[in-house]
């Protein structure tokens, strides 16, 4: 990352330490993790010990107690190493934030502290076959049981960490008539009878991230399994989305930065027609646009994070940053492959992986069509419909 004058010494130190870690421990193994679809458990445990998971979770609860800008810096630098690793950090940040803000002390002892120590792995389960962008369409239900507690039935799809998670944070319908006010969140342990893990998906990119389905067949839960108040689940999940989106935007900036560095290095070294391809204007402009959009995306991420840290609403800025950075990542990783010519299309070359890794950033944490809808509603109000 080029040094940003406005960053405090602490923010710079966080970015530099994370960059050094990613350069040494993550980037060299990224191709192997991608090729083998490998979940790097030991690496995540080390990152937990170093305070890279739960960056903005308060210290007394086991987090690093830093701000959202710090979280964004960590996400960018991890992603420059390998975006699947940053994605794990983002998942833990979201689940950690929910547990820190809404968990009882018992829930925090049982789930949050072990999560941040790397002793337990989590999943964040909203999406279903019929409910993707439209979360209000979920069909998983939690019915009250006579004598207390709940019976959970349903299924979730494309859930990050589903194949490995020790517990899942599940959005379910507790009142079929109450629309968005009829959803609640449950903490569901993997070893509860009726909890089963569905198909492990094979993906285009971010292949070290384990993604799959979860099924709940008459899962009996105690009253203490509910996270936060009944009927507030939808709003609680949406409440952490700004942090989620600024995190994915930062992850996209990390992919952009890696693509830019690789393209600059290759353009200097590769010779055709008797000179480095860096000497051709067509190549120069691809790289200049890559650098311009990487810089703009980074500034948008920092501005959105700083607004959140000031305690202001930043939904518009977070949607803009996520949409811009992920669109830029998809465009410029394809251009990075172009700069590399045929070698950019070969497995094992970094930009080939970056191009595959970038695509999902336009889809998860709300597709970019949904981000544009959010922006339009902010700008146009009720006239947007
Ligand atoms: C690798 C991966 C990891 C994921 N991890 C998780 C996870 O951990 N937890 C989780 O809960 N989910 C997760 N998801 C699911 C992800 O959040 C959804 O895929 C995403 O929200 C989009 O939903 P959908 O795929 O059903 O697409 P759809 O909602 O069916 O959308 C299909 C297309 O229609 C467009 N569209 C939909 N509605 C509108 C509209 N109103 N206006 C304009 N265009 C619209 C979309 O933008 C998209 O282009 C993951 C998905 C993947 C692939």
């Amino acid at each position: 990352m080029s040094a940003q004058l406005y960053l405090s010494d602490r923010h710079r130190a966080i970015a530099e330490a994370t960059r050094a870690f990613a350069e040494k421990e993550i980037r060299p193994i990224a191709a192997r993790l991608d090729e083998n679809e490998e979940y790097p458990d030991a690496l995540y445990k080390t990152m937990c010990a170093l305070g890279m998971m739960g960056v903005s979770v308060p210290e007394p609860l086991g987090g690093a107690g830093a701000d959202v800008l710090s979280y964004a810096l960590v996400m960018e630098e991890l992603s420059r190493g390998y975006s699947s690793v940053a994605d794990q950090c983002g998942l833990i940040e979201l689940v950690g934030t929910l547990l820190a803000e809404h968990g009882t002390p018992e829930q925090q002892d049982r789930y949050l502290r072990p999560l941040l120590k790397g002793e337990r792995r989590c999943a964040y389960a909203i999406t279903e076959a019929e409910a993707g962008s439209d979360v209000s369409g979920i069909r998983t239900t939690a019915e009250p049981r006579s004598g207390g507690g709940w019976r959970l039935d349903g299924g979730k799809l494309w859930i990050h960490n589903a194949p490995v998670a020790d517990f899942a944070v599940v959005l379910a319908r507790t009142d079929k008539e109450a629309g968005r006010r009829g959803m609640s969140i449950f903490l569901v342990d993997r070893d509860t009878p009726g909890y089963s893990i569905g198909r492990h998906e094979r993906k285009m990119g971010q292949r070290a991230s384990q993604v799959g389905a979860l099924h709940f067949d008459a899962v009996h839960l105690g009253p203490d399994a509910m996270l936060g108040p009944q009927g507030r689940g939808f709003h609680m999940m949406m409440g952490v989305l700004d942090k989620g989106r600024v995190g994915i935007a930062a992850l996209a900036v990390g992919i952009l930065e890696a693509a830019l560095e690789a393209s600059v290095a290759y353009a200097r070294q590769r010779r055709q027609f008797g000179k480095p391809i860096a000497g051709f204007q067509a190549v120069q402009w691809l790289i200049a646009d890559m650098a311009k959009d990487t810089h703009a995306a980074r500034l948008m991420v920092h501005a959105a994070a700083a607004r959140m840290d000031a305690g202001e609403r930043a939904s518009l800025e977070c949607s803009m940053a996520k949409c811009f950075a992920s669109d830029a990542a998809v465009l410029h990783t394809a251009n990075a492959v172009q700069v590399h010519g045929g070698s950019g299309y070969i497995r094992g070359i970094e930009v080939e992986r970056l191009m595959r890794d970038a695509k999902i950033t336009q889809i998860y944490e709300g597709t970019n069509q949904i981000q544009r809808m959010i922006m339009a509603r902010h700008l146009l109000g009720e006239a947007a419909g």
Side-chain angles (χ1 to χ4, degrees):
M1 188 193 73
S2 57
Q4 306 291 340
L5 295 176
Y6 53 83
L7 290 182
S8 67
D9 289 347
R10 179 158 192 250
H11 287 127
R12 281 181 203 220
I14 288 170
E16 281 164 18
T18 313
R19 170 169 284 224
F21 178 83
E23 193 66 28
K24 184 161 176 270
E25 308 290 344
I26 301 174
R27 210 170 185 181
I29 61 167
R32 189 194 82 211
L33 298 180
D34 170 63
E35 190 60 31
N36 301 337
E37 301 190 356
E38 190 180 326
Y39 181 87
D41 204 31
L43 176 69
Y44 294 147
K45 286 199 167 75
T46 305
M47 289 169 61
C48 285
L50 292 172
M52 289 179 192
M53 303 291 201
V55 176
S56 67
V57 172
E59 274 179 291
L61 295 175
D67 55 12
V68 181
L69 180 54
S70 303
Y71 167 56
L73 294 166
V74 168
M75 285 292 278
E76 177 186 336
E77 295 300 344
L78 292 178
S79 177
R80 177 178 164 274
Y82 183 22
S83 55
S84 254
V85 172
D87 209 22
Q88 186 74 207
C89 175
L91 171 65
I92 293 177
E93 194 76 19
L94 283 198
V95 170
T97 301
L98 274 175
L99 285 164
E101 290 180 358
H102 303 285
T104 62
E106 292 73 27
Q107 288 170 335
Q108 289 168 349
D109 282 345
R110 186 164 173 189
Y111 297 100
L112 179 56
R113 288 189 172 83
L115 174 69
L116 298 180
K117 282 188 201 153
E119 294 166 358
R120 301 194 80 186
R121 294 167 288 194
C122 67
Y124 179 73
I126 303 179
T127 303
E128 300 181 4
E130 304 301 328
S133 299
D134 183 10
V135 174
S136 62
I138 64 162
R139 292 180 183 172
T140 295
T141 55
E143 305 268 359
R145 284 165 59 211
S146 58
W150 302 87
R151 174 192 156 136
L152 186 70
D153 288 280
K156 300 287 178 179
L157 204 64
W158 305 329
I159 303 304
H160 186 186
N161 266 8
V164 296
D166 299 297
F167 71 94
V169 180
V170 180
L171 186 67
R173 200 165 275 293
T174 40
D175 181 346
K176 289 178 188 155
E177 310 303 324
R180 290 176 175 179
R181 293 185 181 279
M183 299 181 206
S184 308
I185 300 178
F186 294 89
L187 297 163
V188 188
D189 289 300
R190 176 196 180 111
D191 55 9
T192 317
Y195 180 117
S196 61
I197 300 164
R199 197 175 68 202
H200 184 171
E201 304 292 355
R202 304 202 61 217
K203 309 192 303 315
M204 173 194 287
Q206 298 198 2
R207 282 155 48 95
S209 304
Q210 313 291 306
V211 168
L214 291 175
H215 303 297
F216 311 110
D217 182 14
V219 175
H220 286 186
L221 301 171
D224 56 349
M226 186 180 281
L227 178 66
Q230 186 173 338
R232 294 296 299 165
F234 179 86
H235 300 91
M236 285 160 58
M237 290 285 198
M238 296 301 126
V240 293
L241 275 186
D242 283 352
K243 198 183 273 182
R245 286 174 182 156
V246 86
I248 296 305
L251 178 151
V253 174
I255 293 175
L256 280 162
E257 180 68 29
L260 176 62
E261 289 170 16
S263 299
V264 167
Y266 189 80
R268 284 186 176 142
Q269 161 251 310
R270 172 71 173 167
R271 296 178 70 86
Q272 287 293 281
F273 300 97
K275 62 177 182 179
I277 60 167
F280 302 120
Q281 191 182 54
V283 173
Q284 292 169 6
W285 286 19
L286 288 177
I287 290 175
D289 280 344
M290 209 179 287
K292 163 176 71 68
D293 287 353
T294 302
H295 186 57
R298 181 179 291 124
L299 293 178
M300 289 173 82
V301 168
H302 292 182
R307 187 173 280 272
M308 290 181 75
D309 287 329
E312 291 180 25
R313 274 205 67 119
S315 300
L316 175 62
E317 289 78 3
C318 290
S319 282
M320 284 178 167
K322 192 270 185 188
C323 190
F324 184 87
S326 56
D327 283 349
V330 169
L331 171 68
H332 293 299
T333 53
N335 286 344
V337 169
Q338 198 68 22
V339 169
H340 282 68
S343 71
Y345 198 69
I346 302 298
R347 280 297 258 270
I349 297 294
E350 189 178 28
V351 293
E352 182 272 340
R353 174 178 55 76
L354 294 174
M355 184 176 166
R356 288 185 285 106
D357 289 343
K359 182 60 199 173
I360 188 63
T361 63
Q362 290 180 314
I363 297 171
Y364 60 17
E365 220 63 42
T367 69
N368 280 4
Q369 285 74 29
I370 298 300
Q371 305 308 323
R372 288 182 171 88
M373 270 172 48
I374 294 168
M375 290 177 232
R377 281 187 190 149
H378 271 273
L379 297 165
L380 301 167
E382 286 182 11

